[in-house]
Amino acid sequence: MKNKNIVLCGFMGCGKTTVGKELACLNGYDLIDLDDFISQKMQLSVSEIFEKYGEDFFRDAEHSACKEILRRENPFVLSAGGGTLTFERNVKVLKENAVIVLLNVPLETISARLADDTSRPLLNAPDREKRLSELYLKRLPVYKACADFVVNADMPARDAAVNIMRSIGS
Ligand code: S3P
């Protein structure tokens, strides 16, 4: 699948950003990290946007960013946010001109990777582990339903990127 934009989707901590970097390096595409794109526009971190303006505001900014990014000329790898593809309006926009690849990583790996993380506002709760597993189980079928490809990404980022290239036939 030559020159087809690629959107990486999956739960927080599944490696969308790190695998995205490797993938963009392998296929020579531009790399866009959706959270960074929004942060740069607003000159605020994602946590600060949640804190100052609330989640709904962030979701609107996320949707606008998807629309803007899709108009780019050069092929790109887009590392989405963990919530991006759980919104039908984003799936609809992104599918117009990209394939969606789910980075499938088990809950245990995610939980270990996020153990000391403080940058995810959705996990800032006293019952963090419970929240994490509930959200993971709720979202996994949603991710699977929108993904054109589901790729095992429970491995070093470079290997996961190679897996993606093989799966999508790039
Ligand atoms: C979110 C995931 C985050 C970020 C925001 C909301 C989510 O991105 O967009 O905190 O709803 O899962 P990462 O998946 O890159 O952490």
Side-chain angles (χ1 to χ4, degrees):
M1 201 174 287
K2 287 260 176 284
N3 290 335
K4 186 73 178 167
N5 300 317
I6 300 168
V7 177
L8 298 183
C9 112
F11 203 77
M12 291 171 260
C14 74
K16 299 179 295 290
T17 301
T18 44
V19 175
K21 279 184 193 147
E22 295 289 348
L23 186 60
C25 188
L26 283 175
N27 64 12
Y29 284 16
D30 291 343
L31 172 70
I32 307 156
D33 183 274
L34 190 57
D35 285 341
D36 286 351
F37 186 91
I38 299 164
S39 282
Q40 272 169 25
K41 257 195 192 290
M42 301 210 54
Q43 295 290 298
L44 291 171
S45 70
V46 170
S47 293
E48 286 166 341
I49 300 171
F50 268 71
E51 226 169 82
K52 269 187 117 161
Y53 301 108
E55 180 174 353
D56 289 351
F57 178 92
F58 174 79
R59 296 304 175 191
D60 285 344
E62 187 175 47
H63 181 57
S64 302
C66 288
K67 288 197 281 190
E68 186 179 336
I69 290 163
L70 211 74
R71 290 197 291 267
R72 290 169 71 101
E73 293 267 319
N74 289 350
F76 61 80
V77 174
L78 173 65
S79 299
T84 313
L85 279 310
T86 65
F87 291 88
E88 187 52 40
R89 61 181 179 169
N90 297 333
V91 175
K92 197 163 169 262
V93 163
L94 293 172
K95 281 223 178 219
E96 278 172 28
N97 201 16
V99 289
I100 298 176
V101 177
L102 167 60
L103 302 186
N104 206 14
V105 173
L107 179 58
E108 299 68 47
T109 305
I110 299 272
S111 172
R113 283 186 190 168
L114 296 180
D116 299 321
D117 180 271
T118 53
S119 68
R120 269 74 175 203
L122 289 182
L123 299 178
N124 287 344
D127 54 349
R128 184 185 162 91
E129 274 304 310
K130 186 167 168 272
R131 171 121 187 85
L132 179 87
S133 61
E134 280 173 0
L135 203 56
Y136 179 96
L137 294 173
K138 190 172 150 207
R139 284 181 170 181
L140 191 58
V142 181
Y143 294 145
K144 284 189 172 161
C146 76
D148 299 295
F149 300 93
V150 178
V151 174
N152 176 16
D154 192 14
M155 59 186 73
R158 182 79 173 186
D159 298 339
V162 171
N163 260 356
I164 295 171
M165 298 280 273
R166 281 204 199 107
S167 298
I168 68 178
S170 251

